[in-house]
């Protein structure tokens, strides 16, 4: 009986070829640099607390209701790709320039960092280290972040008219009880919020994070989180630095001038 069925031919796997190509392609590297305004470095010595906002809704909250006319921009943090594919096209054949993360200082010695959407998880640790290097180890740190509810590992039960749920995560050195319950296990944060909390835990800094989870992808509805976030500034220790009130005039102005109000299908 014949046992030879012909010559064996090895087929090339498309997945194998793509994997090889990925290994040969150079990885994307990023630079993280900070530029402080004139006299900005000297003003850092007086900072008593740091507020980091990550996500569209909480950043809009900070820019609309936390920052006032007396706040001043003291610097920017730039994240730039050193190699890799060209930057995103804006549709008019011009590359979109990365948006820097702005640093603001309030009259109450609170430093506010509004994190740009261009700060990805790949550079989150270096970004957190760069920002935390500006302040003394004794400074208080708060992180506010907004997410869609499918990122919450645990029961999701929004209550009231805010249509959102807020949890907390804090370092062991944080001296006060957070105003919201602990993030349910598995307690997962990613990107900049996770990096800031991790750096604070390692450095024994006083830090608390408040992640906000909402049911909508809308980027134009600040009312979803305004009432809930107002609470984090009504107790110790941050009531000293921010007196947040739901200013109807500012909210109305936000709704009418927000450039993202027509893009309600964008992610948080």
């Amino acid at each position: 009986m014949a046992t030879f069925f012909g010559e064996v031919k090895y087929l090339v796997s498309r997945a194998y070829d793509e994997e090889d190509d990925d290994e040969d392609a150079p990885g994307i590297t990023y630079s993280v640099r900070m530029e402080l305004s004139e006299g900005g470095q000297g003003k850092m010595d007086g900072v008593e607390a740091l507020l980091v906002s990550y996500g569209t809704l909480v950043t809009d909250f900070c820019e609309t209701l936390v920052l006032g006319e007396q706040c001043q921009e003291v610097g920017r943090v730039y994240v730039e790709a050193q190699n890799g594919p060209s930057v995103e096209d804006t549709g008019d054949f011009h590359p979109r320039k990365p948006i820097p993360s702005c640093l603001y200082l309030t009259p109450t010695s609170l430093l506010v960092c509004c994190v740009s959407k261009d700060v990805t998880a790949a550079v989150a640790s270096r970004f957190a280290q760069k920002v935390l290097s500006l302040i003394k180890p004794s400074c208080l740190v708060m992180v506010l972040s907004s997410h869609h509810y499918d990122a919450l590992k645990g029961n999701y039960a929004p209550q009231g008219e805010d249509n959102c749920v807020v949890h907390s995560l804090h370092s062991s050195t944080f001296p006060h009880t957070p105003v919201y319950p602990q993030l349910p296990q598995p307690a997962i944060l990613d990107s900049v919020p996770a990096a800031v909390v991790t750096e604070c835990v390692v450095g024994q800094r006083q830090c608390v994070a408040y992640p906000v989870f909402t049911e909508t992808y809308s980027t134009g509805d600040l009312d979803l989180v305004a009432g809930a976030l107002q609470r984090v500034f009504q107790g110790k220790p941050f009531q000293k630095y921010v007196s947040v009130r739901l200013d109807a005039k500012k909210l109305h102005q936000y709704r009418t001038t927000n450039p993202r109000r027509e893009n309600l299908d964008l992610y948080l």
Side-chain angles (χ1 to χ4, degrees), residues 10-25:
Y10 296 94
L11 298 178
V12 177
S13 168
R14 180 180 297 273
Y16 180 82
D17 284 348
E18 290 178 350
E19 186 176 349
D20 278 355
D21 291 342
D22 291 340
E23 291 179 354
D24 295 336

Side-chain angles (χ1 to χ4, degrees), residues 105-138:
L105 186 62
T106 72
T108 57
S109 301
L110 174 69
L111 181 65
V112 181
C113 176
C114 297
V115 182
S116 164
K117 64 179 181 179
D118 291 315
V119 182
T120 63
V123 295
S125 293
R126 283 191 292 156
F127 181 88
Q129 292 170 1
K130 185 75 70 174
V131 174
L132 289 172
S133 69
L134 290 171
I135 61 175
K136 297 174 292 188
S138 59

Side-chain angles (χ1 to χ4, degrees), residues 31-229:
S31 68
V32 181
R33 63 183 178 86
M34 182 182 299
E35 291 185 1
L36 296 179
S37 60
E38 185 177 356
Q41 185 62 55
K43 295 176 182 178
M44 294 299 106
D45 295 335
V47 172
E48 298 180 6
L50 168 67
L51 170 61
V52 178
S53 69
Y54 177 85
T56 300
L57 290 181
V58 294
T59 299
D60 285 351
F61 171 83
C62 290
E63 293 177 344
T64 304
L65 295 175
V66 174
L67 299 176
E69 296 180 356
Q70 296 182 339
C71 298
Q72 60 179 132
E73 184 177 332
V74 293
R76 296 184 176 187
V77 184
Y78 296 85
V79 174
E80 299 169 339
Q82 299 299 299
N83 60 342
S86 57
V87 295
E88 177 186 350
D89 193 336
T90 59
D92 57 359
F93 303 104
H94 291 85
R96 184 183 65 81
K97 293 183 179 180
I99 301 173
S101 301
C102 295
L103 301 169
Y104 300 94
L105 186 62
T106 72
T108 57
S109 301
L110 174 69
L111 181 65
V112 181
C113 176
C114 297
V115 182
S116 164
K117 64 179 181 179
D118 291 315
V119 182
T120 63
V123 295
S125 293
R126 283 191 292 156
F127 181 88
Q129 292 170 1
K130 185 75 70 174
V131 174
L132 289 172
S133 69
L134 290 171
I135 61 175
K136 297 174 292 188
S138 59
C139 286
L140 295 165
V141 179
M142 178 194 286
V143 183
L144 299 179
S145 59
S146 53
H147 316 266
H148 190 257
Y149 80 94
D150 61 10
L152 177 60
K153 308 301 180 182
N155 294 327
Y156 177 75
Q159 298 177 356
E161 299 179 354
D162 296 322
N163 193 29
C164 71
V165 63
V166 188
H167 289 290
S168 67
L169 200 62
H170 63 90
S171 64
S172 60
T173 55
F174 187 70
H176 303 280
T177 302
V179 297
Y180 285 102
Q182 184 175 350
L183 189 64
Q185 296 294 330
I188 296 177
L189 288 177
D190 61 0
S191 196
V192 174
V196 174
V197 173
T198 300
E199 291 294 329
C200 289
V201 170
V202 172
Q204 297 185 338
R205 293 176 180 265
Q206 303 174 40
C207 174
V208 61
Y210 290 108
V212 182
F213 300 88
T214 65
E215 290 183 320
T216 178
Y217 284 122
S218 168
T219 61
D221 200 349
L222 180 60
D223 304 83
L224 291 173
V225 299
L229 290 180

